Amino acid sequence: MKITIIAGARPNFIKIAPIIKAIEKNQTEGVTIAYRLIHTGQHYDKNLSDTFFEELNIPKPAANLEVKSGTQAEQTAAIMVAFEKEMIANPCDLVLVVGDVNSTMACAIVAKKQNIKVAHVEAGIRSGDMTMPEEINRIVTDSITDYFFTTSTSASENLLQKGVDPLNVHFVGNVMIDTLYQNLNRIVKPVFWKEFDLETKNYIILTLHRPSNVDEEQSLVQLLLGIDNMVGDKKVIFPIHPRTKAILGERELNLKNIVMVAPQGYLNFMFLIKNSFAVITDSGGISEETTVLGIPCFTMRNTTERPETQTIGTNTLVGTSIENLEKHFDAFVNPKSPSKKAAGIPEFWDGKAAERIISILLQK
Ligand code: UDP
């Protein structure tokens, strides 16, 4: 079996790493399975791309389509044009896409139009929020996917409700958590730990990059000032996404607690998360990692496509206003109201999802 694997953006790199490991393990055991890794170039900053290849030992891609930035349509179209050429030059039996970025949807469409089977890892998750570009990518990708690999029973249920053949829906667990378990003993304290006087369980990690939180400059500034004020004497480490940085520009914010740093490599970032007091974020992936690590997570969104991080894990959806965040944060730090949730780990988030995926694909 010849599989073309697609990765385009930071969360994709984290998800494909264990899948490639599982394929290579099968190869060493004599199984006939080959893969070709294609980087679409959707994320191209060293901090968001190369660092992850190096740290997670992901092999160099066979090709980089170098699509770079653009509007939603420009980027999607550029990926489709470039990937179609790649597919014609290098045919395969199956295209495997992960997650919900533009590369996921664009490459799935190209593959399907060439009558190539599509496997979608992290299929079936839905926020119900059609203003999120990712939600559109999820729906379109799943409408043409052949083999669906899900992280939760609710994701499988979403697919079954839409009439997907149950024989093609496979609840395998979470490849992002495979990567977490494979690297927990390799995490590294960042060099700025001392410089910023960080102490274990006494600082907060903040990440924000969703258009609903960062695209309006004034509300982003108000949100940052509000968080800076809310956290008392706790430091807030804010690895700033290029999208968010571009909005803030050179603006001086006079923040007393928030420290802006570059986007972190995986090993430094996981060290920071694991040792933090709490996390404030709008990332979906981070709410999964904090769930497994038992770190309280406040998600600045109105919806989540990962409900198990709330029902089982440590995640609390707090909406997008500073007032709501404050309300939840105060309830959390106030010892009189024991709001800390007893956290559990969702089923199959056990580090073996990628192995399950490859063994299922080998039977197709
Ligand atoms: N991440 C990282 N360094 C950072 C911020 C995030 O390594 O500075 C990792 C994070 O742990 C998670 C992934 O990137 O594994 C999530 O990426 P992102 O928030 O961009 O995507 P989303 O989860 O929102 O799709």
Side-chain angles (χ1 to χ4, degrees):
M1 174 181 267
K2 268 162 85 175
I3 305 179
T4 292
I5 299 176
I6 306 298
R10 174 171 67 186
N12 290 174
F13 309 138
I14 298 164
K15 289 167 197 169
I16 60 157
I19 296 174
I20 291 175
K21 277 204 180 76
I23 293 177
E24 290 179 343
K25 183 164 169 256
N26 273 278
Q27 287 172 334
T28 57
E29 288 163 0
V31 176
T32 311
I33 181 168
Y35 75 93
R36 183 172 164 84
L37 173 59
I38 303 299
H39 189 325
T40 64
Q42 194 183 325
H43 276 171
Y44 48 89
D45 277 26
K46 185 176 189 311
N47 284 337
L48 299 190
S49 176
D50 294 4
T51 306
F52 289 83
F53 279 77
E54 285 157 23
E55 291 191 355
L56 300 176
N57 295 316
I58 305 170
K60 197 171 159 352
N64 189 322
L65 308 181
E66 294 190 356
V67 297
K68 308 218 165 152
S69 310
T71 64
Q72 290 287 325
E74 282 165 351
Q75 195 174 59
T76 305
I79 297 167
M80 288 180 70
V81 171
F83 185 55
E84 188 177 54
K85 291 190 180 123
E86 156 62 32
M87 287 284 287
I88 291 166
N90 297 286
C92 62
D93 305 310
L94 175 95
V95 169
L96 183 145
V97 296
V98 297
D100 53 19
V101 298
N102 288 343
S103 303
T104 312
M105 176 183 73
C107 293
I109 295 173
V110 170
K112 196 65 190 168
K113 288 205 168 189
Q114 295 198 20
N115 290 324
I116 302 295
K117 297 275 188 213
V118 174
H120 184 200
V121 174
E122 212 180 80
I125 60 173
R126 296 289 183 272
S127 67
D129 178 357
M130 290 299 280
T131 66
M132 287 178 79
E134 294 91 339
E135 184 73 354
I136 299 165
N137 293 341
R138 292 175 195 128
I139 291 171
V140 174
T141 304
D142 284 342
S143 72
I144 50 174
T145 288
D146 295 284
Y147 308 130
F148 302 80
F149 295 104
T150 70
T151 49
S152 64
T153 46
S154 69
S156 295
E157 203 47 50
N158 290 338
L159 294 166
L160 298 175
Q161 270 173 14
K162 289 280 172 204
V164 174
D165 182 348
L167 289 175
N168 290 326
V169 179
H170 304 281
F171 170 36
V172 290
N174 193 327
V175 286
M176 198 144 206
I177 302 308
D178 290 7
T179 297
L180 180 62
Y181 282 132
Q182 284 169 16
N183 291 283
L184 260 185
N185 61 357
R186 301 177 61 228
I187 59 177
V188 180
K189 189 186 275 187
V191 282
F192 55 67
W193 183 268
K194 244 190 163 160
E195 183 188 343
F196 300 144
D197 263 336
L198 298 183
E199 285 168 31
T200 301
K201 301 289 168 196
N202 199 27
Y203 62 88
I204 291 162
I205 295 292
L206 171 66
T207 81
L208 295 171
H209 72 286
R210 298 239 111 75
S212 53
N213 285 321
V214 306
D215 276 7
E216 276 290 315
E217 186 188 347
Q218 260 317 314
S219 28
L220 173 61
V221 168
Q222 289 312 314
L223 182 59
L224 291 177
L225 292 172
I227 293 173
D228 197 53
N229 208 30
M230 176 189 85
V231 294
D233 59 357
K234 295 225 177 334
K235 283 246 161 51
V236 179
I237 301 297
F238 182 24
I240 186 158
H241 193 280
R243 179 188 187 98
T244 315
K245 192 172 178 179
I247 308 282
L248 288 176
E250 296 305 310
R251 217 182 147 122
E252 284 289 327
L253 288 180
N254 266 332
L255 300 165
K256 52 186 191 308
N257 294 307
I258 297 180
V259 185
M260 295 195 199
V261 296
Q264 297 295 292
Y266 187 78
L267 300 177
N268 281 161
F269 192 69
M270 279 309 134
F271 184 97
L272 286 167
I273 295 282
K274 183 165 187 281
N275 290 289
S276 67
F277 173 71
V279 172
I280 302 170
T281 188
D282 56 12
S283 158
I286 294 174
S287 69
E288 298 181 334
E289 293 159 339
T290 47
T291 279
V292 170
L293 294 172
I295 303 295
C297 178
F298 299 92
T299 295
M300 300 220 57
R301 287 177 47 191
N302 294 313
T303 56
T304 178
E305 59 290 331
R306 295 161 161 92
E308 62 286 353
T309 61
Q310 279 227 101
T311 51
I312 301 173
T314 56
N315 190 19
T316 308
L317 277 190
V318 299
T320 54
S321 76
I322 182 67
E323 292 77 20
N324 269 339
L325 173 64
E326 274 168 2
K327 206 173 73 199
H328 286 281
F329 188 79
D330 287 349
F332 167 64
V333 290
N334 179 0
K336 281 187 216 137
S337 60
S339 65
K340 287 174 209 180
K341 297 196 226 169
I345 296 181
E347 192 184 356
F348 278 179
W349 290 20
D350 58 0
K352 298 189 178 114
E355 284 175 24
R356 292 188 191 105
I357 290 168
I358 298 307
S359 90
I360 292 166
L361 284 178
L362 283 167
Q363 292 160 36
K364 292 283 181 189

